[in-house]
Amino acid sequence: MPRPREFDETTALDAAIECFWRRGYEATSLRDLTAAMGLTAPSLYNAFGDKEELFALALERYLDRNTRGRLRRLEETLPPEQAITRFFSEIVEHSVNDRQRKGCFLVNSALEIAPHHAQCRAVIAKQFQGIEGFFARCILAAQAEGTIPLDLDAGDTAKLLLGVLLGVRVLARTNPDRGVLEGVVRPALALLDKPRRSQKRGKQ
């Protein structure tokens, strides 16, 4: 009969997230992980597999706690155009308040390890598709409501917004200035605001 594990897997996985996030994948050693997670090497392997498998699990947990939860919350509680604008306002706010300049764990992972590790690359690619899908759904819903112009291609605009998001998160690692980050976001969001701006000009 197998012995019950004498540690909390969720707590250990959260510790692994912080370790990978702070140091990066390549610079994080097994010794770093066992020390942070409070485990022996055999216990780590038995519970989570090798380093790449552990990283994939850590990334999935990060996404569940952060990105996926944010997308679900915004899409379920706000009108579609507001969901997009609030998404970017929250991203800018997080970036400005990131005093350690850790950046986004997802974006950091895409830059560092996605080209070299197939399992992690698949997780990252799927999440980027999920973010793009959120943008596309919001645009289509807002077009149906008449708050975003119908001639705006939802697929192309969703890809543009994903690119803006990635640019903001990378730029913030070196220059987390609110004015700079909002200046990157503003032209993209202006595409969504054409009906209201046109209506205002027509009333003048």
Side-chain angles (χ1 to χ4, degrees):
M1 182 175 179
R3 294 176 58 189
R5 287 173 179 162
E6 298 177 352
F7 63 91
D8 183 275
E9 289 192 23
T10 300
T11 301
L13 201 54
D14 287 344
I17 292 172
E18 288 301 316
C19 195
F20 282 127
W21 199 352
R22 185 173 64 253
R23 296 174 178 271
Y25 179 83
E26 295 297 342
T28 299
S29 67
L30 179 61
R31 179 177 297 180
D32 295 328
L33 290 167
T34 54
M37 298 169 74
L39 301 178
T40 63
S43 293
L44 188 153
Y45 282 118
N46 288 335
F48 303 106
D50 62 19
K51 180 180 172 181
E52 184 175 354
E53 291 172 318
L54 172 60
F55 185 88
L57 290 170
L59 182 57
E60 286 280 9
R61 175 156 173 77
Y62 168 84
L63 293 172
D64 284 339
R65 291 170 52 197
N66 294 273
T67 309
R68 291 169 184 153
R70 177 180 295 117
L71 296 179
R72 188 163 50 248
R73 169 175 53 83
L74 294 175
E75 195 167 2
E76 291 176 355
T77 61
L78 292 175
E81 185 181 359
Q82 288 184 29
I84 295 175
T85 57
R86 179 72 63 82
F87 176 87
F88 279 103
S89 69
E90 290 185 5
I91 292 300
V92 169
E93 199 65 33
H94 279 292
S95 299
V96 170
N97 292 320
D98 181 11
R99 302 305 178 190
Q100 298 178 338
R101 298 193 184 183
K102 288 168 37 179
C104 170
F105 189 36
L106 172 64
V107 176
N108 295 352
S109 302
L111 294 172
E112 182 188 7
I113 72 167
H116 313 295
H117 298 276
Q119 183 178 3
C120 297
R121 180 167 63 247
V123 173
I124 293 165
K126 184 177 180 180
Q127 185 55 53
F128 284 164
Q129 291 171 357
I131 297 171
E132 183 182 325
F134 160 77
F135 290 141
R137 289 191 304 274
C138 288
I139 291 168
L140 288 170
Q143 287 176 326
E145 293 179 354
T147 57
I148 287 180
L150 292 174
D151 61 353
L152 198 66
D153 186 280
D156 287 347
T157 306
K159 290 178 175 62
L160 170 66
L161 294 174
L162 176 62
V164 171
L165 167 64
L166 299 182
V168 165
R169 287 309 241 163
V170 173
L171 181 61
R173 292 293 300 275
T174 58
N175 188 17
D177 178 82
R178 184 183 300 276
V180 171
L181 301 182
E182 289 179 345
V184 173
V185 171
R186 193 177 302 113
L189 295 184
L191 294 173
L192 312 180
D193 196 35
K194 284 183 178 179
R196 285 201 297 269
R197 290 189 291 114
S198 299
Q199 186 177 17
K200 288 178 181 178
R201 284 197 298 269
K203 291 181 178 180
Q204 290 176 354

